[in-house]
């Protein structure tokens, strides 16, 4: 295996295995909710916490984990995340009560938070600048594959060997990734004394918890005074966190403000939130429509959504390579426009008895659009980031991605519930009421995506000549012992 040590493509395969597991576990659990309720004697609220507990811990700890990777080495944090995630998966698969399962899912979220930011950091470290777009394209393809595999793989496992295997399936993947981590991933460090911003970690964790919990659970608690108080506390803590970080910029802050001096990183940080909101804003109502109006099974609904993921997976590496050659600005604008067009087409096609195959052209367009976005968005965000700040940048980027998903889910959930109730009160049948509601909720993802396309006008484009890197990245960034 020595010839594969520090080989960029071998490193990418290893990172992709870990990244795949964490994204798969965001989607695979939903389809097993009825079986978990029966198997554990759980309430619906407890079972929903099996889903949201993982996402909550993941979102709250990403910034901290990204900075820890900068301080103690991304390979070490990636490996630690794999160990925790794999052991927690075993705990999930053998849990004897709802409380134990929820606790194990929270620990899974911790493992995912430790490893996810390190993937982008290590890609930057081992790939030269002119090849990062291709690598990010494959990284985005893995995201599409996990999204596609979740409902389908979950349905197969639940119907054949039982719901516990949606967690136990992670074990061989995690073990394989862990072995490969120590065989092929270089131990990249920076030879300097490190400080860890404990105060910043505590404030950031509290702020993200308040905001994420409030947005994620607001609908459950009917957006009562307690939820609004929690959101207000979260916003205040964010302000306090920024003031705290301002005083730490000459040391080793949790969020280096120098990252935002790069216009592309700033624009892409906004864009990643908008894209996450838009994806939830389409998938959540569309999936509900397929199951509640057209009465499809969860597996069949997942297959209707499959063309989007398949096309995205196929074009991702090519658009990543194209971004390396011509820059990502116009690819992003074209991809976002295509995605908005696909959403509009889906909404116009949707009816009370629309056949499944009628959606294929529209879902192909959305897949083409998102395939043109994922790789260039990641590449442009990280293109000019210094290697020593890569973990912090990745932590910020992935945190904003998760927060965008939570905001999107909360917003579209509130729109769905409020508008559907109004349409039903007007005397419409459920099917007609839901379709009318979809027309309203579609405004959110379309508006958000077009706002993102306009924001891309601010992106500084890059050409292949500007990306020339005469010295391989691994050679210039190979490990230096930390003190």
């Amino acid at each position: 295996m020595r010839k594969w040590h520090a080989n960029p493509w071998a490193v990418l395969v290893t990172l992709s295995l870990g990244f795949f597991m964490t994204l798969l576990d965001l989607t695979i659990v939903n389809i097993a909710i009825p079986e978990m309720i029966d198997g554990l004697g759980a309430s619906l609220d407890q079972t929903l916490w099996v889903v949201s507990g993982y996402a909550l811990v993941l979102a709250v700890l990403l910034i901290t984990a990204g900075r820890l990777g900068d301080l103690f080495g991304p390979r070490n944090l990636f490996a630690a995340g794999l160990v925790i995630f794999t052991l927690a998966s075993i705990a999930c698969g053998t849990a004897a009560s709802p409380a134990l399962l929820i606790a194990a899912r929270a620990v899974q979220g911790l493992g995912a938070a430790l490893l996810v930011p390190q993937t982008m950091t290590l890609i930057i470290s081992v790939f030269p600048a002119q090849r990062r777009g291709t690598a990010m394209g494959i990284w985005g393809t893995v995201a599409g594959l996990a999204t596609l595999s979740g409902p389908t793989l979950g349905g197969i496992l639940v119907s054949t060997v039982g719901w516990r295997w949606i967690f136990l399936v992670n074990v061989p993947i995690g073990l394989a990734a862990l072995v490969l981590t120590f065989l092929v991933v270089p131990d990249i460090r920076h030879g300097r004394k490190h400080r860890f911003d404990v105060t910043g970690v505590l404030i950031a964790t509290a702020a993200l918890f308040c905001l994420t919990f409030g947005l994620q659970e607001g609908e459950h608690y009917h957006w009562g005074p307690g939820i609004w108080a929690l959101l207000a506390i979260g916003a205040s803590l964010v302000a306090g966190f920024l003031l705290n970080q301002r005083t730490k910029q000459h040391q080793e802050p949790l969020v280096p403000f120098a990252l935002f001096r790069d216009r592309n990183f700033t624009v892409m940080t906004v864009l990643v939130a908008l894209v996450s909101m838009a994806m939830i804003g389409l998938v959540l109502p569309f999936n509900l429509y397929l199951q509640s109006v057209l009465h499809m099974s969860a597996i069949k609904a997942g297959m209707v959504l499959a063309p989007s993921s398949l096309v995205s997976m196929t074009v991702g590496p090519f658009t990543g390579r194209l971004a390396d050659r011509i820059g990502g600005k116009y690819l992003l604008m074209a991809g976002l426009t295509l995605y908005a067009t696909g959403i509009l087409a889906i909404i116009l096609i949707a009816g009370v008895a629309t056949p499944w195959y009628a959606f294929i052209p529209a879902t192909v367009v959305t897949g083409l659009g998102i395939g043109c976005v994922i790789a260039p968005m990641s590449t442009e965000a990280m293109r000019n980031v210094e290697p020593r700040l890569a973990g912090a940048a990745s932590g910020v980027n992935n945190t904003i991605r998760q927060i965008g998903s939570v905001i999107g889910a909360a917003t579209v959930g509130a729109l769905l519930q409020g508008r559907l109730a109004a349409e039903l009160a007007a005397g419409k049948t459920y099917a007609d009421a839901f379709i009318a509601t979809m027309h309203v909720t579609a405004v959110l993802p379309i508006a958000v995506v077009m706002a993102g396309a306009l924001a891309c006008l601010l992106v500084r484009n890059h050409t292949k000549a500007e990306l020339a890197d005469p010295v391989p990245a691994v050679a210039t960034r190979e490990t230096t012992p930390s003190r």
Side-chain angles (χ1 to χ4, degrees):
M1 294 293 295
R2 285 185 179 180
K3 67 178 181 179
W4 295 107
H5 179 72
N7 178 285
W9 301 109
V11 171
L12 182 59
V13 168
T14 304
L15 300 177
S16 296
L17 285 174
F19 187 51
F20 175 85
M21 282 196 310
T22 63
L23 291 183
L24 184 69
D25 267 49
L26 280 169
T27 59
I28 197 172
V29 175
N30 293 298
I31 200 167
I33 285 176
E35 286 73 15
M36 285 190 287
I37 290 174
D38 294 338
L40 292 175
S43 66
L44 178 60
D45 186 58
Q46 287 175 318
T47 312
L48 291 176
W49 263 105
V50 174
V51 179
S52 58
Y54 174 82
L56 179 63
V57 175
L58 175 60
V60 165
L61 295 179
L62 279 168
I63 287 181
T64 300
R67 195 57 174 142
L68 284 171
D70 283 337
L71 300 180
F72 303 115
R75 187 185 75 168
N76 291 341
L77 268 291
F78 185 79
L82 284 173
V83 170
I84 292 170
F85 190 93
T86 304
L87 291 175
S89 296
I90 296 174
C92 288
T94 56
S97 70
L100 289 175
L101 181 55
I102 293 168
R105 280 287 282 173
V107 178
Q108 259 194 330
L110 168 62
L114 289 177
L115 72 88
V116 165
Q118 319 315 325
T119 59
M120 293 177 73
T121 304
L122 287 163
I123 287 172
I124 286 177
S125 298
V126 301
F127 279 90
Q130 68 270 23
R131 294 166 69 191
R132 284 179 199 151
T134 304
M136 288 295 186
I138 295 171
W139 185 79
T141 297
V142 171
L145 180 60
T147 304
L148 171 64
S149 301
T152 307
L153 180 59
I156 293 171
L157 290 173
V158 168
S159 61
T160 54
V161 292
W163 66 267
R164 293 183 183 275
W165 281 91
I166 65 174
F167 303 113
L168 296 176
V169 73
N170 293 325
V171 177
I173 301 174
L175 290 175
L178 186 63
V179 171
L180 287 172
T181 296
F182 291 104
L183 288 176
V184 304
V185 179
D187 186 10
I188 297 163
R189 314 261 193 114
H190 298 284
R192 54 182 297 182
K193 186 177 180 179
H194 299 297
R195 295 185 181 92
F196 188 56
D197 183 8
V198 177
T199 305
V201 166
L202 293 176
I203 299 173
T205 301
L208 288 169
F209 175 81
C210 291
L211 291 175
T212 307
F213 184 91
L215 291 167
Q216 192 167 273
E217 299 299 313
E219 195 67 33
H220 176 74
Y221 291 102
H222 309 292
W223 297 100
I227 290 294
W228 289 109
L230 198 63
L231 293 174
I233 292 169
S236 299
L237 286 171
V238 168
F241 174 72
L242 294 175
L243 290 173
N244 168 267
Q245 292 297 287
R246 184 179 179 183
T247 66
K248 302 288 181 67
Q249 292 302 305
H250 62 287
Q251 300 171 9
E252 289 188 276
L254 202 60
V255 176
F257 289 174
L259 291 172
F260 297 97
R261 292 177 192 150
D262 175 29
R263 183 195 296 177
N264 282 14
F265 180 82
T266 303
V267 174
M268 292 303 106
T269 299
V270 173
L271 185 61
V272 75
L274 296 177
V275 170
S276 296
M277 289 175 63
M279 291 178 71
I280 290 289
L282 168 63
V283 173
L284 181 58
F286 188 37
N287 190 44
L288 287 172
Y289 159 79
L290 293 174
Q291 294 187 59
S292 65
V293 176
L294 300 186
H295 306 293
M296 294 183 182
S297 66
I299 296 177
K300 188 171 181 179
M303 296 308 293
V304 172
L305 294 166
S308 180
S309 296
L310 287 171
V311 172
S312 173
M313 289 161 48
T314 303
V315 304
F318 295 101
T319 57
R321 191 179 306 169
L322 194 58
D324 286 336
R325 302 179 70 175
I326 66 171
K329 178 175 182 176
Y330 300 110
L331 281 172
L332 286 166
M333 294 177 71
L336 291 166
T337 303
L338 283 170
Y339 193 63
T341 302
I343 296 171
L344 181 61
I346 287 171
I347 299 305
L348 293 177
I349 292 167
V352 294
T354 306
W356 65 268
Y357 51 82
F359 293 107
I360 291 178
T363 55
V364 166
V365 172
T366 60
L368 181 59
I370 208 67
C372 291
V373 168
I374 297 299
M377 185 168 60
S378 301
T379 303
E380 296 303 328
M382 304 295 284
R383 191 186 297 279
N384 300 319
V385 173
E386 296 178 44
R388 67 183 181 85
L389 299 178
S394 180
V396 170
N397 189 272
N398 281 287
T399 298
I400 296 300
R401 184 195 307 274
Q402 289 297 319
I403 294 294
S405 295
V406 171
I407 292 174
T411 305
V412 78
L415 280 172
L416 270 172
Q417 188 176 55
R419 193 65 208 170
L420 184 58
E423 295 289 345
L424 290 171
K428 292 184 179 179
T429 64
Y430 178 83
D432 289 331
F434 197 96
I435 291 167
T437 299
M438 280 182 65
H439 290 163
V440 174
T441 60
V443 173
L444 172 68
I446 292 174
V448 160
V449 165
M450 294 316 298
L454 291 174
C456 289
L457 292 171
L458 299 173
V459 173
R460 288 194 178 102
N461 210 26
H462 298 267
T463 64
K464 190 173 182 180
E466 291 172 326
L467 297 177
D469 188 352
V471 182
V474 173
T476 59
R477 296 168 191 153
E478 193 52 81
T479 177
T480 305
S482 63
R483 288 182 284 152

